[in-house]
Amino acid sequence: MAWYEVTHSCGHTERHQLIGPHKSREWRISYLEGELCQECFKAKRAEENAKAAEENRELGLPKLKGSQKQIQWAETIRKAILGALEDRFRKVEGATDGQKREYFQALDVLMAKESASWWIDHRDTSMPNVLGECLKEAKLRITPAIPTTDAEIESRAEATIRPENPQTETVAEFSITSDSIFVDFPEKRDSFREIMKNHGFKWTGSKWQRTPDKFAGTINDRVAQTASALLDGRYIIRVFDKEIRDVVRDRSFQPEQKCWIKALVDDKKFTIKWPYGMEFYDKAKKIPGSKWDSSRRVIIVPSEQYEQVLDFAEVYNFGVSDGAKRLAEEADKIKYAALTVAPVSEQATQKTDPMSIPEEGFAIDDSLRDKD
């Protein structure tokens, strides 16, 4: 290990500490001589970011929103992605009119994006996932060759939250599309895998992915809750969206409701479902008319027992779907619109035997008595 004075291509001289065999050091010095010094490199990258921002403005693209560091990096990413997309458009002359229409619809949608964190999250994402329905049949993978710049480094640092005594220096980086969450964590750890599975994520072969359904709440809440769980598990997380980071720090996300009362609309019945490992079977089976459905793995309850079902949901903190609420309202209307008949007393239904003598005997009318 030794220090060397190296004159860079810009003419400035800097000291570099080099290690390794002599030949390796010679190669490293030769390489450094062909590169800019650190200050000139920073200035060049800042110039490139500014140039990209100016070109993006000339194209009529909206002004990006976010921190200054994020905006600087995102301007370069946006220029690279749109440039790659335009190159693709020039190659689709043989496509059908419908395909061309979808491509240009995709371009319009992409050009309207104004969140810096959105562009950063999508810097390595395939166009079909970014644009959803607009490019369903496309298989294009865009990976812009974007150099590591100071803006990128600073933006990454700003987006990173570290726990005390992390298990590893590998970072779990979140990216978000319109309907899915992706987590990049290139390391195999059982505790990490357990956290991701507990939060509904599946391994795709390269990243962890979850596409929340309508019962899961907002994507931002699910990102914040998963990120918080990873921090609690002593994993470093990176989220480029500042609003989500603030929610993670404050722990102000809405926890996911995993226990649900839903409706089988066609059958006019309720279903009661909870995650594996939670014990509600015996409690749900106490509701009159309830039955276990092994194929659906739910308890099914007739709609007439809506009061018991709603009480169960309140006591055990189950969510009630909109369909289940409507089913309860229908059952309630039917109950109170039904004809109510008062029970007939047993005494009123008994018939008197005309030949029987009452216990108190018979009374004789005075007009029928003999006169002395």
Coordinates of all heavy atoms in Angstrom, one line a residue, residues 230-303:
L230 N -39.0 -4.5 8.8 CA -37.6 -4.8 8.5 C -36.7 -4.0 9.4 O -35.7 -4.6 9.8 CB -37.3 -4.5 7.0 CG -38.0 -5.4 6.0 CD1 -37.8 -4.9 4.6 CD2 -37.4 -6.8 6.1
L231 N -37.0 -2.8 9.7 CA -36.2 -2.0 10.6 C -36.2 -2.7 12.0 O -35.2 -2.8 12.7 CB -36.7 -0.6 10.7 CG -36.4 0.3 9.5 CD1 -37.1 1.7 9.7 CD2 -34.9 0.6 9.4
D232 N -37.4 -3.1 12.4 CA -37.5 -3.8 13.7 C -36.7 -5.1 13.7 O -36.2 -5.5 14.8 CB -39.0 -4.1 14.0 CG -39.8 -2.9 14.3 OD1 -39.2 -1.8 14.6 OD2 -41.1 -2.9 14.2
G233 N -36.6 -5.7 12.5 CA -35.8 -6.9 12.4 C -34.3 -6.6 12.2 O -33.5 -7.5 11.9
R234 N -33.9 -5.3 12.3 CA -32.5 -4.8 12.2 C -32.0 -5.0 10.8 O -30.9 -5.4 10.6 CB -31.6 -5.5 13.2 CG -32.0 -5.2 14.6 CD -31.1 -5.8 15.7 NE -29.8 -6.3 15.3 CZ -29.4 -7.6 15.3 NH1 -30.2 -8.5 15.8 NH2 -28.2 -7.9 15.0
Y235 N -32.8 -4.6 9.8 CA -32.4 -4.5 8.4 C -32.4 -3.1 8.0 O -33.3 -2.3 8.3 CB -33.3 -5.4 7.5 CG -33.1 -6.8 7.7 CD1 -33.9 -7.6 8.4 CD2 -32.0 -7.5 7.0 CE1 -33.7 -9.0 8.6 CE2 -31.8 -8.8 7.2 CZ -32.6 -9.6 8.0 OH -32.4 -10.9 8.1
I236 N -31.5 -2.7 7.1 CA -31.4 -1.3 6.6 C -32.4 -1.3 5.4 O -32.4 -2.2 4.6 CB -30.0 -1.0 6.1 CG1 -28.9 -1.2 7.2 CG2 -29.9 0.4 5.5 CD1 -27.5 -1.2 6.7
I237 N -33.2 -0.2 5.4 CA -34.1 0.0 4.3 C -33.9 1.3 3.5 O -33.3 2.2 4.0 CB -35.6 -0.1 4.8 CG1 -35.9 1.1 5.8 CG2 -35.9 -1.4 5.5 CD1 -36.6 2.2 5.2
R238 N -34.3 1.3 2.3 CA -34.2 2.5 1.4 C -35.5 2.7 0.7 O -36.0 1.8 -0.1 CB -33.0 2.3 0.4 CG -32.8 3.5 -0.5 CD -31.6 3.3 -1.4 NE -30.4 3.3 -0.6 CZ -29.4 2.4 -0.8 NH1 -29.5 1.5 -1.8 NH2 -28.3 2.4 -0.1
V239 N -36.1 3.9 0.9 CA -37.4 4.3 0.3 C -37.2 5.7 -0.2 O -36.9 6.6 0.5 CB -38.5 4.2 1.3 CG1 -39.8 4.6 0.6 CG2 -38.7 2.8 1.9
F240 N -37.3 5.9 -1.5 CA -37.1 7.2 -2.2 C -38.2 8.1 -2.0 O -38.0 9.3 -2.1 CB -36.8 7.0 -3.6 CG -35.4 6.4 -3.9 CD1 -35.3 5.0 -4.2 CD2 -34.3 7.1 -3.7 CE1 -34.1 4.4 -4.4 CE2 -33.0 6.5 -3.9 CZ -32.9 5.2 -4.3
D241 N -39.4 7.7 -1.7 CA -40.5 8.5 -1.4 C -40.5 9.1 0.0 O -40.6 8.4 1.0 CB -41.9 7.8 -1.6 CG -43.1 8.7 -1.7 OD1 -43.3 9.4 -0.7 OD2 -43.8 8.6 -2.7
K242 N -40.3 10.5 0.0 CA -40.1 11.1 1.3 C -41.4 11.0 2.2 O -41.2 10.8 3.4 CB -39.8 12.6 1.1 CG -39.6 13.4 2.5 CD -39.3 14.8 2.2 CE -39.0 15.6 3.5 NZ -40.1 15.4 4.5
E243 N -42.6 11.1 1.6 CA -43.8 10.9 2.4 C -43.8 9.6 3.1 O -44.2 9.5 4.3 CB -45.0 11.2 1.6 CG -45.2 12.6 1.1 CD -46.4 12.8 0.3 OE1 -47.2 11.8 0.2 OE2 -46.6 13.8 -0.3
I244 N -43.5 8.5 2.4 CA -43.5 7.2 3.0 C -42.4 7.1 4.1 O -42.6 6.5 5.1 CB -43.3 6.1 1.9 CG1 -44.4 6.1 0.9 CG2 -43.2 4.7 2.6 CD1 -44.3 5.2 -0.2
R245 N -41.2 7.7 3.8 CA -40.2 7.7 4.9 C -40.7 8.3 6.2 O -40.4 7.9 7.3 CB -38.9 8.3 4.4 CG -38.1 7.6 3.3 CD -36.7 8.0 3.3 NE -36.5 9.5 3.1 CZ -36.5 10.1 1.9 NH1 -36.7 9.4 0.8 NH2 -36.4 11.4 1.9
D246 N -41.4 9.4 6.0 CA -41.9 10.1 7.2 C -42.9 9.2 7.9 O -42.9 9.2 9.2 CB -42.6 11.4 6.8 CG -41.6 12.5 6.3 OD1 -40.4 12.3 6.6 OD2 -42.0 13.4 5.6
V247 N -43.7 8.5 7.2 CA -44.7 7.6 7.8 C -43.9 6.5 8.6 O -44.3 6.1 9.7 CB -45.6 7.0 6.8 CG1 -46.5 5.9 7.4 CG2 -46.5 8.1 6.2
V248 N -42.8 6.0 8.0 CA -42.1 4.9 8.6 C -41.5 5.5 9.9 O -41.5 4.8 10.9 CB -40.9 4.4 7.7 CG1 -40.0 3.5 8.4 CG2 -41.5 3.7 6.5
R249 N -40.9 6.6 9.9 CA -40.3 7.2 11.1 C -41.3 7.4 12.2 O -41.1 7.2 13.4 CB -39.6 8.5 10.7 CG -38.3 8.4 9.9 CD -37.6 9.7 9.8 NE -36.4 9.6 9.0 CZ -36.3 10.0 7.7 NH1 -37.4 10.5 7.1 NH2 -35.2 9.8 7.0
D250 N -42.5 7.9 11.8 CA -43.6 8.2 12.8 C -44.4 7.0 13.2 O -45.2 7.0 14.1 CB -44.5 9.3 12.2 CG -43.8 10.6 11.9 OD1 -42.7 10.8 12.5 OD2 -44.3 11.4 11.1
R251 N -44.2 5.9 12.4 CA -45.0 4.7 12.5 C -46.5 5.1 12.5 O -47.4 4.6 13.2 CB -44.7 4.0 13.9 CG -43.3 3.5 14.0 CD -42.9 2.5 13.0 NE -41.5 2.2 13.0 CZ -41.0 1.0 13.4 NH1 -41.8 0.1 13.9 NH2 -39.7 0.8 13.4
S252 N -46.9 6.0 11.5 CA -48.2 6.5 11.4 C -49.0 5.8 10.3 O -50.0 6.3 9.9 CB -48.2 8.0 11.2 OG -47.4 8.3 10.0
F253 N -48.5 4.6 9.8 CA -49.3 3.9 8.8 C -50.5 3.2 9.4 O -50.6 3.0 10.6 CB -48.4 2.8 8.1 CG -47.7 1.9 9.1 CD1 -48.4 0.8 9.6 CD2 -46.4 2.1 9.6 CE1 -47.8 -0.1 10.5 CE2 -45.8 1.2 10.5 CZ -46.5 0.1 10.9
Q254 N -51.4 2.9 8.5 CA -52.6 2.2 8.9 C -52.3 0.7 8.9 O -52.1 0.2 7.8 CB -53.8 2.5 8.0 CG -55.1 1.9 8.4 CD -55.7 2.4 9.6 OE1 -55.5 3.6 10.0 NE2 -56.4 1.6 10.4
P255 N -52.3 0.0 10.0 CA -52.0 -1.4 10.0 C -52.9 -2.2 9.0 O -54.1 -1.9 8.9 CB -52.2 -1.9 11.4 CG -52.0 -0.6 12.2 CD -52.6 0.5 11.3
E256 N -52.4 -3.2 8.4 CA -53.2 -4.0 7.5 C -54.2 -4.9 8.2 O -53.9 -5.5 9.2 CB -52.3 -4.9 6.6 CG -53.1 -5.7 5.6 CD -52.2 -6.5 4.7 OE1 -50.9 -6.4 4.8 OE2 -52.7 -7.1 3.7
Q257 N -55.5 -4.8 7.7 CA -56.5 -5.7 8.3 C -56.4 -7.0 7.6 O -56.7 -7.1 6.4 CB -57.9 -5.0 8.1 CG -59.1 -5.9 8.5 CD -59.0 -6.2 10.0 OE1 -58.5 -7.3 10.4 NE2 -59.5 -5.3 10.8
K258 N -56.1 -8.1 8.3 CA -56.0 -9.4 7.7 C -57.2 -10.3 8.0 O -57.3 -11.4 7.4 CB -54.7 -10.0 8.2 CG -53.5 -9.3 7.7 CD -52.2 -10.0 8.1 CE -51.0 -9.3 7.5 NZ -49.7 -10.0 7.9
C259 N -58.0 -10.0 9.0 CA -59.2 -10.8 9.4 C -60.4 -10.1 8.8 O -60.7 -9.0 9.1 CB -59.3 -10.9 10.9 SG -57.8 -11.6 11.7
W260 N -61.2 -10.9 8.0 CA -62.3 -10.3 7.3 C -63.6 -11.1 7.4 O -63.6 -12.3 7.4 CB -61.9 -10.1 5.8 CG -61.0 -9.0 5.6 CD1 -59.6 -9.0 5.5 CD2 -61.4 -7.6 5.4 NE1 -59.2 -7.7 5.2 CE2 -60.2 -6.9 5.2 CE3 -62.6 -7.0 5.4 CZ2 -60.2 -5.5 5.0 CZ3 -62.6 -5.6 5.2 CH2 -61.4 -4.9 5.0
I261 N -64.7 -10.3 7.4 CA -66.0 -10.8 7.2 C -66.4 -10.4 5.8 O -66.4 -9.2 5.5 CB -67.1 -10.2 8.2 CG1 -66.6 -10.4 9.6 CG2 -68.4 -10.8 7.9 CD1 -66.6 -11.8 10.1
K262 N -66.6 -11.3 4.9 CA -67.0 -11.0 3.5 C -68.3 -11.7 3.2 O -68.9 -12.3 4.0 CB -65.9 -11.5 2.5 CG -64.5 -10.8 2.8 CD -63.5 -11.2 1.8 CE -62.1 -10.6 2.1 NZ -61.1 -11.1 1.2
A263 N -68.7 -11.5 1.9 CA -70.1 -12.0 1.5 C -70.0 -12.9 0.3 O -69.2 -12.7 -0.6 CB -71.0 -10.9 1.2
L264 N -70.7 -14.0 0.4 CA -71.0 -14.9 -0.8 C -72.3 -14.4 -1.3 O -73.4 -14.8 -0.9 CB -71.1 -16.3 -0.4 CG -69.7 -17.0 0.1 CD1 -70.0 -18.4 0.5 CD2 -68.7 -17.0 -1.1
V265 N -72.3 -13.4 -2.2 CA -73.5 -12.7 -2.6 C -74.5 -13.6 -3.2 O -75.7 -13.5 -2.9 CB -73.1 -11.5 -3.6 CG1 -74.4 -10.8 -4.0 CG2 -72.1 -10.6 -3.0
D266 N -74.1 -14.5 -4.1 CA -75.0 -15.4 -4.7 C -75.7 -16.3 -3.8 O -76.9 -16.7 -3.9 CB -74.3 -16.3 -5.8 CG -73.8 -15.4 -7.0 OD1 -74.3 -14.3 -7.1 OD2 -72.9 -15.8 -7.7
D267 N -75.0 -16.7 -2.7 CA -75.6 -17.7 -1.7 C -76.2 -16.9 -0.5 O -76.8 -17.6 0.3 CB -74.5 -18.6 -1.2 CG -73.9 -19.5 -2.3 OD1 -74.7 -19.8 -3.2 OD2 -72.8 -20.0 -2.1
K268 N -76.1 -15.6 -0.5 CA -76.6 -14.8 0.6 C -76.1 -15.3 2.0 O -76.8 -15.6 2.9 CB -78.2 -14.9 0.6 CG -78.8 -14.4 -0.6 CD -78.5 -12.9 -0.8 CE -79.2 -12.4 -2.1 NZ -78.9 -10.9 -2.3
K269 N -74.8 -15.5 2.0 CA -74.1 -15.9 3.2 C -72.9 -15.1 3.5 O -72.3 -14.5 2.6 CB -73.8 -17.4 3.1 CG -75.0 -18.3 3.0 CD -74.6 -19.8 2.9 CE -75.8 -20.7 2.7 NZ -75.4 -22.1 2.6
F270 N -72.5 -15.1 4.8 CA -71.2 -14.5 5.2 C -70.1 -15.5 5.2 O -70.3 -16.7 5.4 CB -71.4 -13.9 6.6 CG -72.4 -12.8 6.7 CD1 -73.6 -13.0 7.2 CD2 -72.1 -11.5 6.3 CE1 -74.5 -12.0 7.4 CE2 -73.0 -10.5 6.4 CZ -74.2 -10.7 6.9
T271 N -68.9 -15.0 5.0 CA -67.7 -15.8 5.2 C -66.8 -15.1 6.3 O -66.7 -13.9 6.3 CB -66.8 -16.0 3.9 OG1 -66.3 -14.7 3.5 CG2 -67.7 -16.6 2.8
I272 N -66.2 -15.9 7.1 CA -65.3 -15.4 8.2 C -64.0 -16.1 7.9 O -63.8 -17.3 8.0 CB -65.8 -15.8 9.6 CG1 -67.3 -15.3 9.8 CG2 -64.9 -15.2 10.7 CD1 -67.9 -15.7 11.1
K273 N -63.0 -15.2 7.7 CA -61.7 -15.7 7.3 C -60.6 -15.0 8.1 O -60.7 -13.8 8.3 CB -61.4 -15.6 5.8 CG -60.1 -16.3 5.4 CD -60.0 -16.4 3.9 CE -58.8 -17.3 3.5 NZ -58.7 -17.5 2.0
W274 N -59.5 -15.7 8.5 CA -58.4 -15.2 9.3 C -57.1 -15.9 8.8 O -57.2 -17.0 8.2 CB -58.6 -15.4 10.8 CG -58.8 -16.8 11.2 CD1 -57.9 -17.7 11.5 CD2 -60.1 -17.5 11.2 NE1 -58.4 -18.9 11.8 CE2 -59.8 -18.8 11.6 CE3 -61.4 -17.2 10.9 CZ2 -60.8 -19.8 11.8 CZ3 -62.4 -18.1 11.1 CH2 -62.1 -19.4 11.5
P275 N -56.0 -15.3 9.0 CA -54.7 -15.8 8.6 C -54.4 -17.1 9.3 O -54.8 -17.3 10.5 CB -53.7 -14.8 8.9 CG -54.5 -13.5 9.0 CD -55.8 -13.9 9.6
Y276 N -53.6 -17.9 8.7 CA -53.1 -19.2 9.3 C -52.3 -18.8 10.6 O -51.5 -17.9 10.6 CB -52.2 -19.9 8.3 CG -51.6 -21.2 8.9 CD1 -52.4 -22.4 8.9 CD2 -50.3 -21.2 9.3 CE1 -51.9 -23.5 9.5 CE2 -49.8 -22.4 9.9 CZ -50.6 -23.6 9.9 OH -50.0 -24.7 10.5
G277 N -52.6 -19.6 11.6 CA -51.8 -19.4 12.9 C -52.7 -18.6 13.9 O -52.3 -18.6 15.1
M278 N -53.8 -18.0 13.5 CA -54.6 -17.3 14.4 C -55.8 -18.2 14.8 O -56.3 -19.0 13.9 CB -55.1 -16.0 13.8 CG -54.0 -15.0 13.4 SD -54.6 -13.5 12.7 CE -55.2 -12.7 14.2
E279 N -56.3 -18.2 16.0 CA -57.3 -19.1 16.5 C -58.6 -18.4 16.7 O -58.9 -17.8 17.7 CB -56.8 -19.7 17.8 CG -55.5 -20.5 17.7 CD -55.7 -21.8 16.8 OE1 -56.8 -22.3 16.7 OE2 -54.6 -22.2 16.3
F280 N -59.5 -18.6 15.7 CA -60.9 -18.1 15.8 C -61.9 -19.1 15.4 O -63.1 -18.8 15.5 CB -61.0 -16.9 14.8 CG -60.3 -15.7 15.2 CD1 -59.1 -15.3 14.6 CD2 -60.7 -14.9 16.3 CE1 -58.4 -14.1 15.0 CE2 -60.1 -13.8 16.7 CZ -58.9 -13.4 16.0
Y281 N -61.5 -20.3 15.2 CA -62.4 -21.4 14.7 C -63.5 -21.6 15.8 O -64.7 -21.6 15.5 CB -61.7 -22.7 14.4 CG -62.6 -23.8 14.0 CD1 -63.0 -23.9 12.7 CD2 -63.0 -24.7 14.9 CE1 -63.9 -25.0 12.3 CE2 -63.9 -25.8 14.5 CZ -64.3 -25.9 13.2 OH -65.2 -26.9 12.8
D282 N -63.1 -21.9 17.0 CA -64.1 -22.3 18.0 C -65.0 -21.1 18.3 O -66.2 -21.3 18.6 CB -63.3 -22.6 19.3 CG -62.6 -24.0 19.2 OD1 -63.0 -24.8 18.3 OD2 -61.7 -24.2 20.0
K283 N -64.5 -19.9 18.3 CA -65.3 -18.7 18.5 C -66.3 -18.5 17.4 O -67.5 -18.2 17.6 CB -64.4 -17.5 18.7 CG -63.4 -17.5 19.8 CD -62.5 -16.3 19.8 CE -61.5 -16.4 21.0 NZ -60.5 -17.4 20.8
A284 N -65.9 -18.7 16.1 CA -66.8 -18.5 15.0 C -67.8 -19.5 14.9 O -69.0 -19.3 14.5 CB -66.0 -18.4 13.7
K285 N -67.5 -20.8 15.3 CA -68.4 -21.9 15.3 C -69.6 -21.7 16.3 O -70.6 -22.5 16.2 CB -67.7 -23.2 15.5 CG -67.0 -23.7 14.3 CD -68.0 -24.2 13.2 CE -68.7 -25.5 13.6 NZ -69.7 -25.9 12.6
K286 N -69.4 -20.8 17.2 CA -70.5 -20.6 18.2 C -71.7 -19.8 17.6 O -72.8 -19.8 18.2 CB -70.0 -19.9 19.4 CG -69.0 -20.7 20.3 CD -68.6 -19.9 21.5 CE -67.6 -20.8 22.3 NZ -67.1 -20.0 23.5
I287 N -71.5 -19.2 16.4 CA -72.5 -18.5 15.8 C -73.5 -19.5 15.2 O -73.1 -20.4 14.5 CB -72.0 -17.6 14.6 CG1 -71.0 -16.6 15.2 CG2 -73.1 -16.9 13.9 CD1 -70.3 -15.7 14.1
P288 N -74.8 -19.4 15.5 CA -75.8 -20.4 15.1 C -75.8 -20.5 13.5 O -75.7 -19.5 12.8 CB -77.1 -19.8 15.5 CG -76.8 -18.9 16.7 CD -75.4 -18.3 16.4
G289 N -75.9 -21.7 13.1 CA -75.9 -22.0 11.6 C -74.6 -22.0 10.9 O -74.5 -22.2 9.7
S290 N -73.5 -21.7 11.7 CA -72.1 -21.6 11.0 C -71.6 -23.0 10.6 O -72.0 -24.0 11.2 CB -71.2 -21.0 12.0 OG -71.0 -21.8 13.2
K291 N -70.8 -23.0 9.5 CA -70.3 -24.2 9.0 C -68.9 -24.0 8.4 O -68.7 -23.0 7.8 CB -71.3 -24.8 8.0 CG -70.9 -26.2 7.4 CD -71.9 -26.8 6.5 CE -72.0 -26.0 5.2 NZ -72.8 -26.7 4.2
W292 N -68.0 -24.9 8.6 CA -66.7 -24.8 8.1 C -66.6 -25.3 6.6 O -67.1 -26.4 6.3 CB -65.7 -25.7 8.9 CG -64.3 -25.8 8.3 CD1 -63.7 -26.9 7.7 CD2 -63.3 -24.7 8.2 NE1 -62.5 -26.6 7.3 CE2 -62.2 -25.3 7.6 CE3 -63.3 -23.4 8.6 CZ2 -61.0 -24.6 7.3 CZ3 -62.1 -22.7 8.4 CH2 -61.0 -23.2 7.7
D293 N -66.1 -24.5 5.7 CA -65.9 -24.8 4.3 C -64.5 -25.1 4.1 O -63.6 -24.1 4.0 CB -66.4 -23.6 3.4 CG -66.4 -24.0 1.9 OD1 -65.5 -24.7 1.5 OD2 -67.3 -23.5 1.2
S294 N -64.1 -26.3 3.9 CA -62.7 -26.7 3.8 C -62.1 -26.3 2.5 O -60.9 -26.0 2.4 CB -62.5 -28.2 3.9 OG -63.3 -28.9 2.9
S295 N -62.9 -26.2 1.4 CA -62.3 -25.8 0.1 C -61.9 -24.3 0.1 O -60.9 -23.9 -0.5 CB -63.3 -26.0 -1.0 OG -64.5 -25.3 -0.8
R296 N -62.7 -23.5 0.8 CA -62.4 -22.0 0.8 C -61.6 -21.7 2.1 O -61.1 -20.6 2.2 CB -63.7 -21.2 0.8 CG -64.5 -21.3 -0.4 CD -65.7 -20.3 -0.3 NE -66.4 -20.2 -1.6 CZ -67.6 -20.8 -1.8 NH1 -68.0 -21.7 -0.9 NH2 -68.2 -20.7 -2.9
R297 N -61.6 -22.6 3.0 CA -61.0 -22.4 4.3 C -61.6 -21.2 5.1 O -60.8 -20.3 5.5 CB -59.4 -22.3 4.2 CG -58.8 -23.5 3.6 CD -57.3 -23.5 3.7 NE -56.9 -23.6 5.1 CZ -56.9 -24.7 5.9 NH1 -57.3 -25.9 5.3 NH2 -56.5 -24.7 7.2
V298 N -62.9 -21.2 5.1 CA -63.6 -20.1 5.8 C -64.8 -20.7 6.6 O -65.2 -21.8 6.3 CB -64.1 -19.1 4.8 CG1 -63.0 -18.4 4.1 CG2 -65.1 -19.7 3.8
I299 N -65.3 -20.0 7.5 CA -66.5 -20.3 8.2 C -67.6 -19.6 7.4 O -67.5 -18.4 7.1 CB -66.5 -19.8 9.7 CG1 -65.5 -20.6 10.5 CG2 -67.9 -19.9 10.3 CD1 -66.0 -22.0 10.9
I300 N -68.7 -20.3 7.1 CA -69.8 -19.8 6.4 C -71.0 -19.6 7.3 O -71.3 -20.6 8.1 CB -70.2 -20.6 5.1 CG1 -69.0 -20.6 4.1 CG2 -71.4 -20.1 4.5 CD1 -69.3 -21.4 2.9
V301 N -71.7 -18.5 7.3 CA -72.8 -18.2 8.2 C -73.9 -17.7 7.4 O -73.8 -16.8 6.5 CB -72.4 -17.2 9.3 CG1 -73.5 -17.0 10.3 CG2 -71.1 -17.6 10.0
P302 N -75.2 -18.2 7.7 CA -76.3 -17.7 7.0 C -76.5 -16.2 7.2 O -76.2 -15.7 8.3 CB -77.5 -18.5 7.6 CG -76.9 -19.7 8.2 CD -75.5 -19.3 8.6
S303 N -77.1 -15.5 6.2 CA -77.2 -14.0 6.3 C -78.2 -13.7 7.5 O -78.1 -12.6 8.0 CB -77.8 -13.5 5.0 OG -79.0 -14.0 4.7

